[in-house]
Amino acid sequence: MHKAIIYLTNLTHINDGIPATESIPLNIGYLAAHTKKVFGNEVDIKLFNTHLDLVEAVERRKPHILAGSNYLWNSNLSYHYLSHFKKRHPEMITVMGGPTISYNPLRRKEFLDKRRSLDFYITGEGEAAFANLVQVCIDGGMDIDKIKKRNISGCYFLSEGEIISGTMPDRIRCLDTIPSPYLGGYLDKFLEGGFTPILQTNRGCPFSCAYCCSAVDYYNKVTFFSTERVKEEIEYVAKRAKSPSVHIHDDNFGMFEQDYEICRKFKEAQESYGWPVYISAATGKNSKGRIVRCVELLGPSIIFSASLQTTNKVALKNIGRENISLDDLMSIQE
């Protein structure tokens, strides 16, 4: 077959002409960069975060694969457009992926039963799983019936009313094997459009908070992008960003040894380019001394939170958390 045309979407609602989610879609940037690395000229990939751009693109050239992210804030929106195009083009392969999904097989089946226009759901780390699906789609000539006869690692779907679950893909231990979507230019149009950059320096979380999608054993081990790569991304973004802010999407920023070096690079970018003015991050739940060093270096541009989840001992047990000690909390406040 000719090139596989793939559209990756991270759609956001538009209110009075303003995107409700102002962040750059780093998630689909990673998917695009990794998929392009694996398949090269076999694929043609485009990224979208507004439905207006997506509708215009599909009218010009419909994709073989249309994929949408699934978060609390855009789950219905993503499925609305997937189902809209699926009805018009039944041969189009529709995919969703993201953390807003149960780990219970019965609930997963219920999710798919309610979304019959959805062909496949990606689970686990998205890059490897999506590449597995793309390979099977290419091998199967984009024939959905043929594709659904395969067990696809990192994917699950309905076949003859039954849920088929592929094996969970192994975690990516060396994150630098995923090409940088910033350095590869995949996210330039979003930088130029004024969307707020997102940076990720590691993945995973050693804690087991019951309410968090990172709490499952699969994500328990923390893996890292190299410090040099993160520094290159900060330099690249600092020269191009129209938004004054940056979001750091680590689960525990500041808690690890490399984080101070990354903060030094942010400080250097602030002095050279006046960016970022504001840094949004979820600071770590341990190593408070290390986190304080990072916050002291960056001053008022970053917020440091150290809070009690609750003082109810039963609730703490149920959510799998322990509070920071009151002594530590007071010393941090000082």
Side-chain angles (χ1 to χ4, degrees):
M1 65 173 291
H2 298 295
K3 280 189 179 183
I5 303 167
I6 302 171
Y7 289 176
L8 302 175
T9 74
N10 186 62
L11 298 182
T12 180
H13 293 274
I14 306 294
N15 300 320
D16 295 327
I18 301 172
T21 305
E22 89 293 356
S23 303
I24 282 176
L26 179 63
N27 50 357
I28 58 175
Y30 282 135
L31 287 184
H34 181 75
T35 304
K36 193 68 177 175
K37 173 188 173 183
V38 173
F39 297 99
N41 291 330
E42 289 185 77
V43 296
D44 184 3
I45 304 174
K46 296 190 183 305
L47 279 56
F48 303 89
N49 65 344
T50 69
H51 64 277
L52 298 174
D53 289 343
L54 175 63
V55 169
E56 184 180 326
V58 175
E59 290 296 329
R60 288 197 309 267
R61 187 189 192 197
K62 67 181 179 68
H64 296 103
I65 300 173
L66 177 61
S69 61
N70 184 41
Y71 297 97
L72 284 172
W73 52 87
N74 76 344
S75 182
N76 291 339
L77 182 66
S78 286
Y79 182 69
H80 172 81
Y81 281 96
L82 262 61
S83 60
H84 168 74
F85 291 120
K86 183 73 169 179
K87 287 171 185 173
R88 295 180 61 187
H89 308 287
E91 74 282 2
M92 185 184 294
I93 297 169
T94 54
V95 186
M96 290 183 79
T100 307
I101 194 75
S102 175
Y103 284 92
N104 183 305
L106 293 178
R107 290 185 178 177
R108 287 186 169 185
K109 184 177 185 301
E110 181 182 351
F111 179 93
L112 292 175
D113 277 332
K114 291 179 178 179
R115 296 163 178 80
R116 287 305 182 114
S117 292
L118 177 62
D119 294 315
F120 299 98
Y121 199 95
I122 297 292
T123 187
E125 274 187 304
E127 292 85 5
F130 188 71
N132 292 338
L133 175 60
V134 171
Q135 184 65 68
V136 175
C137 288
I138 291 173
D139 293 344
M142 299 296 169
D143 184 318
I144 296 173
D145 291 333
K146 289 182 180 178
I147 296 164
K148 286 194 171 185
K149 294 186 186 308
R150 298 279 299 275
N151 185 305
I152 308 167
S153 176
C155 246
Y156 64 91
F157 52 90
L158 289 180
S159 178
E160 298 180 354
E162 297 298 321
I163 188 166
I164 308 298
S165 298
T167 55
M168 283 286 278
D170 292 336
R171 290 280 309 281
I172 301 170
R173 296 305 180 190
C174 179
L175 292 181
D176 280 1
T177 60
I178 306 168
S180 168
Y182 284 113
L183 302 180
Y186 293 95
L187 301 174
D188 281 357
K189 73 172 183 178
F190 303 106
L191 286 170
E192 293 164 5
F195 289 90
T196 300
I198 293 176
L199 290 173
Q200 188 176 51
T201 79
N202 64 64
R203 292 181 179 180
C205 181
F207 305 106
S208 55
C209 312
Y211 49 80
C212 181
C213 62
S214 297
V216 294
D217 290 343
Y218 182 77
Y219 294 111
N220 187 250
K221 184 175 178 59
V222 181
T223 55
F224 297 87
F225 291 101
S226 67
T227 304
E228 287 309 309
R229 166 177 162 149
V230 177
K231 287 180 179 180
E232 287 179 28
E233 289 184 327
I234 293 171
E235 181 75 15
Y236 185 95
V237 172
K239 293 177 179 178
R240 294 165 176 79
K242 298 290 195 301
S243 169
S245 303
V246 63
H247 299 312
I248 300 175
H249 273 210
D250 300 354
D251 288 312
N252 298 282
F253 185 68
M255 201 173 81
F256 302 103
E257 194 170 326
Q258 70 174 31
D259 292 340
Y260 186 73
E261 286 301 310
I262 292 166
C263 287
R264 287 180 61 184
K265 181 59 184 180
F266 273 126
K267 185 70 173 177
E268 180 185 310
Q270 288 174 334
E271 293 170 351
S272 299
Y273 308 106
W275 183 92
V277 176
Y278 177 71
I279 301 169
S280 167
T283 49
K285 306 166 194 67
N286 265 341
S287 304
K288 296 301 180 183
R290 187 174 286 162
I291 297 168
V292 168
R293 284 185 71 216
C294 293
V295 175
E296 285 177 340
L297 179 63
L298 294 171
S301 59
I302 187 169
I303 299 297
F304 173 34
S305 61
S307 59
L308 305 180
Q309 295 293 323
T310 174
T311 56
N312 184 298
K313 292 183 180 179
V314 175
L316 284 171
K317 180 181 178 181
N318 288 342
I319 65 174
R321 281 296 296 270
E322 292 182 6
N323 280 331
I324 184 173
S325 74
L326 289 177
D327 287 342
D328 284 348
L329 190 64
M330 293 303 295
S331 67
I332 288 166
Q333 184 178 13
E334 291 172 7

